[in-house]
Amino acid sequence: MKKRRHGACLGLAILLAMLMTSQAWAEDGYDLWLRYQPITDTEALETYRDAISGVLIESESPTLDIAREEISRGLNGLLGGNVPMLSGAPEDGALIIGTPQGSEMIAELDLEGLDQINDDGFVIHSTSVRGEPATVIAANTDQGVLYGVYHFLRLIQTQQPIDDLALVQSPRIERRVLNHWDNLDRTVERGYAGFSLWEWHKLPDYLNPRYIDYARANASLGINGTVLTNVNADATVLMPRYLDKVKALADLFRPYGIRVYLTARFSAPMEIGGLETADPLDPDVRAWWQSKVDEIYERIPDFGGFLVKANSEGQPGPGDYDRSHAEGANMLADAVAPHDGIIMWRAFVYSPVADDRHKQAYDEFVPLDGDFHDNVLVQVKNGPIDFQPREPFNPLFGAMPSTSLMMEFQITKEYLGQGTHLAYLAPLFKEALDADTYAQGEGSTVAKVIDGSLSGDTLTAIAGVANTGTDRNWTGSHFNQANWYAYGRLAWNHDLSAEAIADEWVRMTYTNDPDFVEPVKAMMMGSREAVVDYMTPLGLHHLMGESHHYGPAPWIADREREDWTNVYYHRATRDGVGFDRTSEGTNAVGQYAPPVQEMFEDVDRTPEKYLLWFHHVPWDHEVSSGRTLWDELVYRYNRGVEYVRDMRDTWASLEGMIDEQRYRDTEAYLEIQEKEAIWWRDASLSYFQTFSGQEIPEEYELPAHTLEYYQSLKFPFAPGI
Ligand code: GCV
């Protein structure tokens, strides 16, 4: 008897443990923004239930099957089940989904907006179909339908009204791509979320189900391309047995509208082709690439093309043969052109010899404007140096009117706190997209350069360096998911505001409860600025640890290249700090159109956020707050730390409003962030103090350690190298 009771208790305990585990499993972040949890607001739930009696999709295709599965999964999750798939005549409240080609009912409707949208666009209308009130999600392609389905689900996930819809949407940019810096050994350069998602060793025979969830997440945002491999490329991926693996992924991703691209190592003809040269003008080299490309397209007919990092940070390129970037890019472009492929040629170059790294991409690429073939895009990082917490916009935007330029953002936070810090990047992305180049007068924003509206480019693209990995939550931290989300939403529509995107993301990822949504949104909105404050305020840049880029190290002075040191960038002396890029200095300002140039040239007109990027300023220079530069630096470093403390308080006040695991994860990460923000502040101020010779004003905390202590810290095992 006793024994039996013990057994029963054990059974109960196991059941409880299972329930707890399954609860934790359900909320470990794996589902991203596609959680489809039942709506808890009963009034809203009733309204949606009344509005949707069932779903009617008249035809079938691999993409429509995904749309069917997703809408069913989404609606049944959100509305608590019982949403039938209908067939035959429409009924009151039917959700009718499809294209005019595949659905007679939709063809009959002559829906407004269908003639205005592009292949990826969709319309959603509240209307009546054969006399019955209905909602219609329609597009000209099955892909557009799938995007419409995700949008409709988003409306319900964020609890928007759906009774009077008249939506017409098309993405502004044609190719919306993720760049994975994933190596074939599954390490990820600048990856802070575990290993690469691509299980090369098991492909093509084993297809991890996670690939499908990756595709769903991207499709839900409209991301339609993925470059599988690192720009620091390995030619091995171009060998037949790897191409079979790539084909397996391409086949899986195709119905989600995602094309696969690869990075091309420029010296591949030598490394895997047995040639003695990779000279782009050599006929054998050209023939080798042509046959390699044909081999790829035989397997993957919709292969997107190549992304190339050439003659940059040790990568081979056309420069090795005295050929230009255009000659290198065009050779590859000619090889993929018969298959409608494209080349994304990176402008991230900086030779060791110039006076200012800021100027180098411009100097190398602007003379080539007009020389690139039509299927080449030049891929330009948002700023002129390298994904710093803040950079002015890259002067290449607006300086190559006869070349298709695409944007490269970094979603992974190499320089913004890596895996742990909460830094919502939409404000950074928006700052770059909204920057006015003045290339064709006021209003010539970077966004207009890359969406083709400024120069009439028809080939348009945007790339984000992915932050995904094998961590259960995909991105290393729950809040890093917001950056993947924000990138995708802005790639679709760069007019969306950072706040609107945060609002959607918080509602979909956590809850619609305004008591949670509002404070979390507010916390996210200032979070990137806080990182700028505690790492590189007032236009300082490139102050991080050597190679791994983890933590502060403004003192780095001894490296094989001057522009790999940090003193090169801040130029602190007893007199002042900052990089003089005016006409008196390196004249990097000369690369911008006159109105921008004049602004950056003048220390009083340069926005303070870029002050030390463009000017070398005395320590006692008065800034707009009335403080001296030194005092302002101290103030901003402290403001950054305070912001993190406020985020911790805000988060603590939300305990109990969301699931335990995601709450605790973020709680712990914010604690790490506070420690590291203090470390950045104290190490940086201790160092700059040796030049300013000034005290930290009394009202602020003093560094807990000596400068020597901070300088002694080493991190040989920091992730992401
Ligand atoms: C892929 C920075 C990063 C490198 C990266 C490089 C690039 O320098 O630190 O890891 O290499 O940018 O964008 O090519």
Side-chain angles (χ1 to χ4, degrees):
M1 187 67 192
K2 219 174 170 185
K3 216 174 173 183
R4 258 211 319 270
R5 231 190 359 251
H6 182 72
C9 287
L10 190 67
L12 194 66
I14 291 173
L15 186 69
L16 270 174
M18 277 169 63
L19 281 173
M20 284 169 69
T21 319
S22 70
Q23 176 63 28
W25 190 253
E27 294 293 359
D28 57 8
Y30 183 85
D31 290 337
L32 298 161
W33 47 89
L34 300 175
R35 288 169 61 247
Y36 305 139
Q37 288 298 298
I39 295 171
T40 47
D41 176 334
T42 44
E43 205 179 313
L45 181 61
E46 278 321 304
T47 315
Y48 290 123
R49 277 194 178 143
D50 287 349
I52 304 167
S53 60
V55 178
L56 187 57
I57 305 184
E58 284 182 286
S59 54
E60 290 184 0
S61 74
T63 302
L64 285 182
D65 293 347
I66 291 165
R68 185 179 284 106
E69 200 179 308
E70 196 72 35
I71 197 78
S72 163
R73 175 179 183 159
L75 290 181
N76 280 307
L78 288 158
L79 308 187
N82 301 325
V83 181
M85 296 307 288
L86 308 171
S87 58
E91 59 182 61
D92 183 353
L95 177 62
I96 301 175
I97 299 174
T99 63
Q101 301 77 34
S103 158
E104 272 181 28
M105 279 177 225
I106 290 177
E108 280 166 20
L109 290 174
D110 195 17
L111 283 169
E112 213 181 310
L114 267 183
D115 55 346
Q116 294 157 30
I117 55 175
N118 58 31
D119 279 355
D120 285 349
F122 58 83
V123 302
I124 308 181
H125 285 290
S126 305
T127 180
S128 87
V129 177
R130 297 187 183 164
E132 297 292 347
T135 306
V136 178
I137 304 176
N140 297 314
T141 63
D142 292 350
Q143 188 54 48
V145 170
L146 181 61
Y147 290 145
V149 160
Y150 279 114
H151 190 78
F152 184 74
L153 286 170
R154 177 159 47 236
L155 294 178
I156 302 182
Q157 286 175 284
T158 55
Q159 293 187 11
Q160 304 301 305
I162 57 161
D163 54 344
D164 191 19
L165 295 171
L167 291 175
V168 179
Q169 283 208 14
S170 281
R172 307 282 287 274
I173 294 171
E174 183 199 334
R175 313 246 177 171
R176 306 171 295 277
V177 181
L178 280 183
N179 287 184
H180 289 274
W181 287 356
D182 292 20
N183 300 311
L184 298 181
D185 64 2
R186 300 193 65 203
T187 53
V188 179
E189 184 155 351
R190 311 309 175 187
Y192 310 101
F195 285 94
S196 167
L197 294 171
W198 322 132
E199 299 181 338
W200 292 109
H201 200 65
K202 298 181 196 165
L203 285 164
D205 303 314
Y206 173 69
L207 300 172
N208 191 324
R210 196 164 184 164
Y211 300 146
I212 295 294
D213 288 325
Y214 166 84
R216 287 178 57 231
N218 284 323
S220 75
L221 304 173
I223 290 173
N224 65 358
T226 179
V227 184
L228 299 175
T229 45
N230 191 353
V231 287
N232 289 331
D234 189 325
T236 311
V237 79
L238 301 175
M239 295 175 82
R241 74 170 195 284
Y242 272 86
L243 292 179
D244 289 341
K245 299 168 191 281
V246 175
K247 172 186 162 40
L249 291 175
D251 288 345
L252 268 187
F253 296 158
R254 185 170 301 111
Y256 293 85
I258 299 168
R259 280 181 196 227
V260 157
Y261 301 75
L262 290 174
T263 45
R265 185 158 165 89
F266 206 77
S267 49
M270 299 162 77
E271 288 166 23
I272 59 168
L275 300 188
E276 294 202 336
T277 175
D279 181 347
L281 300 193
D282 182 288
D284 291 341
V285 171
R286 298 177 75 86
W288 186 86
W289 277 111
Q290 187 61 68
S291 108
K292 180 52 69 187
V293 161
D294 294 344
E295 196 184 332
I296 297 175
Y297 279 93
E298 241 167 63
R299 289 173 170 80
I300 309 167
D302 59 349
F303 178 67
F306 293 123
L307 167 65
V308 188
K309 172 175 178 178
N311 294 120
S312 164
E313 300 186 329
Q315 292 298 300
D320 304 348
Y321 309 94
D322 272 337
R323 311 297 186 198
S324 72
H325 286 287
E327 286 170 315
N330 291 342
M331 180 269 294
L332 290 172
D334 292 349
V336 295
H339 306 280
D340 289 332
I342 63 163
I343 301 301
M344 297 171 285
W345 191 269
R346 294 177 92 224
F348 177 67
V349 294
Y350 57 106
S351 69
V353 287
D355 61 338
D356 182 357
R357 180 169 159 188
H358 175 119
K359 298 195 312 191
Q360 295 186 39
Y362 181 104
D363 287 346
E364 272 190 55
F365 276 81
V366 170
L368 301 175
D369 188 28
D371 291 352
F372 292 94
H373 290 178
D374 287 349
N375 59 336
V376 177
L377 287 138
V378 172
Q379 178 166 317
V380 182
K381 288 188 182 182
N382 59 284
I385 302 286
D386 190 10
F387 298 137
Q388 296 301 293
R390 168 163 282 127
E391 301 197 25
F393 71 90
N394 196 319
L396 272 172
F397 294 114
M400 296 185 71
S402 306
T403 305
S404 299
L405 298 183
M406 64 183 282
M407 170 64 81
E408 178 175 326
F409 283 130
Q410 193 178 44
I411 309 171
T412 188
K413 303 199 318 301
E414 175 179 358
Y415 298 104
L416 286 108
Q418 305 194 343
T420 49
H421 296 206
L422 195 163
Y424 173 53
L425 299 185
L428 184 162
F429 300 156
K430 284 291 282 183
E431 189 172 277
L433 290 164
D434 293 345
D436 198 341
T437 69
Y438 281 85
Q440 292 181 32
E442 195 175 350
S444 307
T445 59
V446 169
K448 286 189 188 163
V449 173
I450 62 164
D451 74 10
S453 57
L454 202 63
S455 310
D457 290 338
T458 45
L459 178 59
T460 57
I462 183 165
V465 180
N467 62 354
T468 50
T470 48
D471 281 7
R472 269 301 287 177
N473 65 23
W474 298 88
T475 55
S477 95
H478 299 294
F479 276 85
N480 284 343
Q481 296 177 355
N483 295 328
W484 181 6
Y485 184 87
Y487 164 73
R489 294 290 287 137
L490 285 171
W492 180 274
N493 177 7
H494 53 66
D495 281 340
L496 290 172
S497 74
E499 193 172 357
I501 296 171
D503 189 82
E504 285 176 2
W505 179 80
V506 177
R507 289 171 185 276
M508 294 165 80
T509 308
Y510 287 105
T511 166
N512 277 284
D513 183 343
D515 291 342
F516 184 87
V517 174
E518 293 309 319
V520 172
K521 227 166 55 181
M523 179 172 119
M524 289 168 74
M525 285 302 293
S527 58
R528 176 268 188 147
E529 201 61 41
V531 174
V532 172
D533 275 347
Y534 63 71
M535 287 187 184
T536 51
L538 292 167
L540 286 170
H541 49 289
H542 209 289
L543 303 182
M544 63 287 158
E546 186 173 325
S547 297
H548 49 63
H549 298 166
Y550 170 69
W555 44 81
I556 290 179
D558 246 349
R559 294 204 59 192
E560 50 283 37
R561 285 177 59 153
E562 219 197 335
D563 52 6
W564 287 351
T565 70
N566 292 344
V567 295
Y568 169 88
Y569 294 96
H570 63 68
R571 303 187 171 211
T573 61
R574 294 292 294 178
D575 301 332
V577 61
F579 198 139
D580 184 357
R581 294 190 162 110
T582 67
S583 55
E584 305 279 298
T586 65
N587 200 29
V589 296
Q591 297 184 332
Y592 292 97
V596 184
Q597 190 182 127
E598 284 153 22
M599 176 177 67
F600 289 154
E601 172 76 13
D602 182 349
V603 70
D604 294 324
R605 288 186 56 215
T606 300
E608 259 164 20
K609 59 187 177 185
Y610 302 129
L611 183 64
L612 305 178
W613 189 285
F614 289 111
H615 301 275
H616 188 82
V617 179
W619 293 108
D620 57 4
H621 171 86
E622 189 179 311
V623 299
S624 64
S625 62
R627 296 183 194 95
T628 65
L629 175 67
W630 169 251
D631 285 352
E632 184 72 14
L633 269 185
V634 178
Y635 166 76
R636 293 203 183 205
Y637 270 111
N638 278 282
R639 187 172 72 178
V641 170
E642 288 313 318
Y643 194 92
V644 180
R645 289 181 174 146
D646 288 347
M647 289 201 291
R648 289 192 67 190
D649 290 346
T650 302
W651 194 251
S653 75
L654 303 173
E655 184 170 2
M657 295 185 74
I658 59 162
D659 51 285
E660 178 78 4
Q661 184 175 343
R662 291 189 301 165
Y663 174 80
R664 293 278 166 235
D665 289 348
T666 298
E667 182 189 42
Y669 277 16
L670 284 170
E671 194 177 337
I672 295 175
Q673 186 172 4
E674 183 185 344
K675 277 189 201 150
E676 295 190 355
I678 293 171
W679 170 33
W680 265 95
R681 176 195 68 187
D682 293 350
S684 307
L685 288 176
S686 304
Y687 172 73
F688 287 125
Q689 196 173 27
T690 64
F691 299 98
S692 78
Q694 297 186 38
E695 294 303 315
I696 292 176
E698 255 176 19
E699 63 266 37
Y700 299 111
E701 291 163 9
L702 292 177
H705 304 280
T706 61
L707 175 59
E708 292 66 36
Y709 166 82
Y710 296 117
Q711 288 175 322
S712 73
L713 299 175
K714 298 277 176 284
F715 304 94
F717 306 116
I721 304 174

